[in-house]
Amino acid sequence: QKEVEQNSGPLSVPEGAIASLNCTYSDRVSQSFFWYRQYSGKSPELIMSIYSNGDKEDGRFTAQLNKASQYVSLLIRDSQPSDSATYLCAVDRSNDYKLSFGAGTTVTVRA
Amino acid sequence: DVKVTQSSRYLVKRTGEKVFLECVQDMDHENMFWYRQDPGLGLRLIYFSYDVKMKEKGDIPEGYSVSREKKERFSLILESASTNQTSMYLCASKTGDKQYFGPGTRLTVT
């Protein structure tokens, strides 16, 4: 089992719709969870971090965490063509400096 | 803003060559990381450093070494480049629990 798994995609959504990205992780003691956005040919950029169960909202982005289910998600509301990118889920490894990354989900927003 | 720079955006080397990839951060961060990114495999950790002259192996250290002589600079070394080391190499610097990435080096080994 991979440490971090994401829905493989690609995910295509129309402009203005909600894009829903899912991530599960295997290390039950993980405490910190991150979403990175990576445009084609660019490096990953941190867009959200979440540490507690529940929802965290930042503009059009909402991260959701459920530690009991070992599940973290990212919702993109009112999707825009500029949101077209690969989204990487990252999970800390028991606070030993390192992160484990999922393979990413590619999102395409259709105008 | 955190700034992480890498010495080259694109690099082409021949099999057997020794290759140096440089990474510099300007925020006095203690922790720095080297990853490679391949399609379908995501980011995989090669090495990381939590202080000057301190280093630890990541998940895929074979064929690589690192050097950290100064806090701001973390170098990845391919001792004898092979074609299976063709990849995108990403350096990251960490503050708190957040990692910030450099622009990446696309290395092709022929």
Side-chain angles (χ1 to χ4, degrees):
Chain A
Q1 181 189 5
K2 291 184 179 179
E3 292 184 44
V4 180
E5 298 206 48
Q6 297 183 238
N7 44 338
S8 57
L11 181 64
S12 180
V13 299
E15 186 174 356
I18 295 174
S20 178
L21 307 173
N22 302 317
C23 174
T24 58
Y25 60 95
S26 61
D27 187 351
R28 185 167 288 278
V29 301
S30 294
Q31 296 295 320
S32 304
F33 307 86
F34 308 91
W35 284 99
Y36 286 81
R37 177 177 61 198
Q38 187 174 24
Y39 292 116
S40 180
K42 301 293 186 182
S43 59
E45 170 195 14
L46 181 65
I47 57 171
M48 290 286 284
S49 57
I50 187 166
Y51 308 99
S52 303
N53 281 331
D55 295 357
K56 178 181 178 182
E57 189 174 314
D58 184 359
R60 295 184 295 108
F61 296 98
T62 299
Q64 300 173 317
L65 175 61
N66 184 326
K67 290 184 180 179
S69 299
Q70 296 176 241
Y71 175 92
V72 59
S73 66
L74 180 71
L75 299 177
I76 308 173
R77 292 185 306 281
D78 188 24
S79 295
Q80 301 297 308
S82 60
D83 296 325
S84 296
T86 296
Y87 291 81
L88 304 172
C89 174
V91 176
D92 80 331
R93 297 192 209 180
S94 307
N95 298 317
D96 68 347
Y97 304 107
K98 295 182 281 190
L99 294 178
S100 293
F101 285 85
T105 300
T106 298
V107 174
T108 301
V109 181
R110 309 187 304 271
Chain B
D1 280 355
V2 176
K3 189 168 184 182
V4 181
T5 58
Q6 295 182 229
S7 51
S8 305
R9 288 287 281 131
Y10 300 94
L11 208 53
V12 179
K13 296 292 182 180
R14 292 190 182 274
T15 301
E17 280 192 80
K18 191 169 186 175
V19 181
F20 293 87
L21 303 181
E22 303 283 338
C23 176
V24 177
Q25 50 97 0
D26 66 354
M27 291 300 292
D28 202 37
H29 294 163
E30 292 182 347
N31 301 318
M32 297 184 73
F33 306 79
W34 274 106
Y35 295 89
R36 63 178 282 176
Q37 185 174 29
D38 300 288
L41 297 178
L43 274 78
R44 293 180 290 167
L45 181 64
I46 304 170
Y47 266 96
F48 71 102
S49 169
Y50 50 91
D51 204 348
V52 176
K53 298 190 186 295
M54 307 300 286
K55 60 188 179 185
E56 283 199 24
K57 294 179 180 179
D59 300 316
I60 52 164
E62 297 79 18
Y64 303 94
S65 63
V66 291
S67 172
R68 191 156 181 213
E69 296 297 319
K70 294 184 178 181
K71 196 172 188 179
E72 67 271 18
R73 188 179 299 269
F74 190 34
S75 302
L76 180 69
I77 303 157
L78 286 66
E79 298 291 342
S80 177
S82 64
T83 55
N84 63 13
Q85 292 178 311
T86 291
S87 186
M88 170 67 83
Y89 290 87
L90 290 161
C91 174
S93 173
K94 181 180 177 185
T95 178
D97 60 0
K98 296 182 175 64
Q99 292 192 21
Y100 298 91
F101 287 86
T105 296
R106 171 77 62 186
L107 173 67
T108 302
V109 182
T110 62

